[in-house]
Amino acid sequence: MFRNYNQINITQGTGPESIAFDCKGEGPYVGVSDGRILKWEGSKFGWKEFAVPFSFRIRKLCDGSTDPNLEPICGRPLGLKFHIETCHLYIADAYYGFLVVGPYGGVAEKLATSAEGVPFKFPNGLDIDTKTEMVYFTDSSTVIQRRNVDSLLRSLDQTGRLLKYNPYTKEVSVMYKGLVFPNGVALSKNNSFLLVAESTRMRI
């Protein structure tokens, strides 16, 4: 048990999903409900905007939003992971697909929106193999979006996938199909195996 801890409140949006630290150990970085990725700059400066999913994001509409119905417009970054060497941040955005942004942040670059001809519907968790540089991420459903997550849980939808992005070929391949709400992804310390959380089935 951790006896000493600090609570860092977020006032710009709600619902931080993944937490990431960059290759220098700075952060944490979190994705929030209004589509932005924020970086903690310490108690003096607080949370600062680090990245957004696309350049034409409407700030007046999106900044601070907690409305799930605005997520398809504003974005919703879920999985976050920094490449340990390049310090690029890979992002699984529930609506804008698989993205990456450089070490200084800004507007993310879209890397992929589909795999083997099937569009992403709910990109979610991700992790990076530090040896091969392959990026593994989940697409929780090919039918139901994140804003309708309650329907996804009730439906027992089995269209979830585990995907792999190859940074050398720029291609996304499907590793597993037929998963029920695949969520978080984690590689072992030596990258010898990969864990996937299947939320609806309550199993790893």
Side-chain angles (χ1 to χ4, degrees):
M1 293 290 292
F2 293 100
R3 296 182 179 179
N4 297 313
Y5 71 94
N6 293 314
Q7 180 172 311
I8 305 174
N9 294 319
I10 294 177
T11 58
Q12 306 176 53
T14 61
E17 185 80 11
S18 292
I19 298 172
F21 290 87
D22 64 27
C23 58
K24 298 178 182 178
E26 295 181 359
Y29 297 74
V30 297
V32 292
S33 60
D34 66 5
R36 293 180 295 169
I37 295 168
L38 307 177
K39 178 185 178 182
W40 177 248
E41 296 277 10
S43 56
K44 183 177 180 179
F45 299 104
W47 292 102
K48 300 294 183 182
E49 181 180 300
F50 178 73
V52 293
F54 56 97
S55 59
F56 51 90
R57 182 176 172 276
I58 306 170
R59 290 191 174 276
K60 285 186 178 181
L61 180 68
C62 296
D63 283 5
S65 172
T66 60
D67 183 356
N69 292 314
L70 289 179
E71 290 181 356
I73 299 171
C74 303
R76 185 62 170 99
L78 298 177
L80 304 176
K81 189 74 174 186
F82 279 94
H83 188 291
I84 196 170
E85 298 293 338
T86 66
C87 217
H88 283 65
L89 176 63
Y90 286 91
I91 306 158
D93 187 285
Y95 300 91
Y96 286 90
F98 181 57
L99 317 172
V100 68
V101 69
Y104 300 106
V107 178
E109 174 190 354
K110 188 175 292 185
L111 296 176
T113 57
S114 66
E116 298 182 0
V118 180
F120 305 151
K121 203 71 172 181
F122 192 164
N124 203 331
L126 67 80
D127 204 354
I128 303 173
D129 188 320
T130 55
K131 293 181 180 178
T132 66
E133 300 188 31
M134 301 297 152
V135 185
Y136 298 89
F137 62 104
T138 53
D139 186 18
S140 295
S141 172
T142 61
V143 178
I144 300 172
Q145 291 185 313
R146 200 212 76 87
R147 59 179 168 158
N148 299 314
V149 68
D150 289 342
S151 297
L152 177 59
L153 292 169
R154 290 194 301 269
S155 70
L156 297 179
D157 171 79
Q158 298 183 35
T159 64
R161 303 179 290 175
L162 175 64
L163 309 172
K164 180 176 75 173
Y165 173 74
N166 185 323
Y168 302 104
T169 64
K170 312 296 183 185
E171 295 178 345
V172 178
S173 56
V174 179
M175 296 191 67
Y176 288 100
K177 299 178 182 178
L179 298 173
V180 182
F181 197 175
N183 199 336
V185 177
L187 282 151
S188 64
K189 186 175 181 179
N190 64 0
N191 300 300
S192 63
F193 62 88
L194 177 73
L195 301 175
V196 180
E198 236 184 332
S199 293
T200 303
R201 285 179 170 161
M202 296 182 287
R203 68 181 185 180
I204 303 295

